[in-house]
Amino acid sequence: APFAWGWGGRQFAKEGYGFPYLFGLTPLLLSVRVCRCLDSARAFGLDVSRLRRRFRSLQRALHPDYFSRRPQAERDLSQQHSALVNAAYQTLLRPLSRGLYLLELHGVKLAEGTDDNTDMEFLAEIMDINEKLADPENEASLQELESLIAAKQEKLITDVNQAFERDDLQEAKKLLAKMKYFANLEDKVKSKKIPS
């Protein structure tokens, strides 16, 4: 059954959230999955605008201000549920964290640090971009690197989606490891753009 909450005069089941009518918030289920929390498909390719709408709807309904006159236990549960929805949203919003989460659901984890199976040509490309980022010639060259990294990430996102659709978890794992490298490069570009 989909994960949901109900309390007082509100019943999420009417909105398609699933649980039967309950008075007061129910305690969190420890086994709640991120995708169930936001009623999202367990797939890499998802409708981000739908995810955003669901998140905002849940956050409005769970906002602690709605529980200010309720017993302390319900106020605490409201905060816990709100935190769960925030964490679920952040996980599903970003393609890298979404992909890693989906791998984890299948018992597959990326190796910490450097993977011995990483393509040497790919690592050389990453090192080259890193060197250029360390000392960009000017703002235009930084912009060029940012565009290159964004294009590489978009291609990887497409490839990861296809790997998940084929249920090729090992290929998805390999591609997500590459996405992790490019995510680090994106962070470096952002830090270079912040004025000192």
Side-chain angles (χ1 to χ4, degrees):
F3 183 71
W5 306 269
W7 64 86
R10 296 174 186 218
Q11 182 179 4
F12 277 136
K14 290 178 184 172
E15 297 178 31
Y17 291 85
F19 274 19
Y21 182 80
L22 298 170
F23 286 93
L25 282 172
T26 58
L28 284 173
L29 301 176
L30 297 177
S31 63
V32 169
R33 299 242 189 254
V34 166
C35 294
R36 283 183 67 196
C37 176
L38 288 168
D39 193 27
S40 175
R42 223 172 111 166
F44 184 77
L46 56 80
D47 181 346
V48 175
S49 61
R50 182 179 182 276
L51 176 71
R52 196 169 278 126
R53 284 191 307 272
R54 180 69 101 201
F55 167 71
R56 288 180 180 147
S57 171
L58 283 171
Q59 281 301 70
R60 276 191 300 273
L62 292 168
H63 197 279
D65 287 351
Y66 288 121
F67 296 88
S68 62
R69 295 183 181 201
R70 303 295 295 170
Q72 182 63 44
E74 283 190 43
R75 290 195 307 265
D76 292 345
L77 287 171
S78 164
Q79 289 177 342
Q80 290 173 15
H81 285 89
S82 183
L84 172 69
V85 168
N86 277 329
Y89 177 69
Q90 291 305 318
T91 298
L92 294 177
L93 182 63
R94 295 181 190 90
L96 178 60
S97 58
R98 182 184 333 135
L100 294 174
Y101 172 73
L102 291 171
L103 282 181
E104 191 176 307
L105 288 178
H106 289 91
V108 178
K109 288 193 177 197
L110 289 184
E112 291 295 319
T114 310
D115 188 355
D116 294 337
N117 297 326
T118 305
D119 176 6
M120 294 309 288
E121 187 177 322
F122 172 76
L123 289 177
E125 178 184 20
I126 295 298
M127 286 174 44
D128 182 52
I129 296 171
N130 257 320
E131 287 173 11
K132 290 177 182 174
L133 272 175
D135 191 25
E137 295 172 15
N138 52 37
E139 185 64 32
S141 65
L142 186 60
Q143 183 64 42
E144 187 178 311
L145 287 170
E146 183 177 35
S147 296
L148 171 72
I149 293 165
K152 296 280 187 179
Q153 281 287 58
E154 282 304 312
K155 171 77 169 104
L156 284 167
I157 288 168
T158 299
D159 293 346
V160 169
N161 189 43
Q162 291 170 353
F164 275 115
E165 285 176 352
R166 290 188 314 269
D167 205 26
D168 187 347
L169 300 179
Q170 290 309 309
E171 180 67 10
K173 177 183 173 181
K174 184 176 89 174
L175 294 166
L176 285 164
K178 289 182 177 184
M179 279 184 73
K180 226 173 156 178
Y181 281 100
F182 279 108
N184 288 335
L185 291 173
E186 284 175 328
D187 290 342
K188 288 180 183 180
V189 167
K190 286 177 189 166
S191 71
K192 290 279 184 188
K193 293 177 93 175
I194 297 171
S196 317

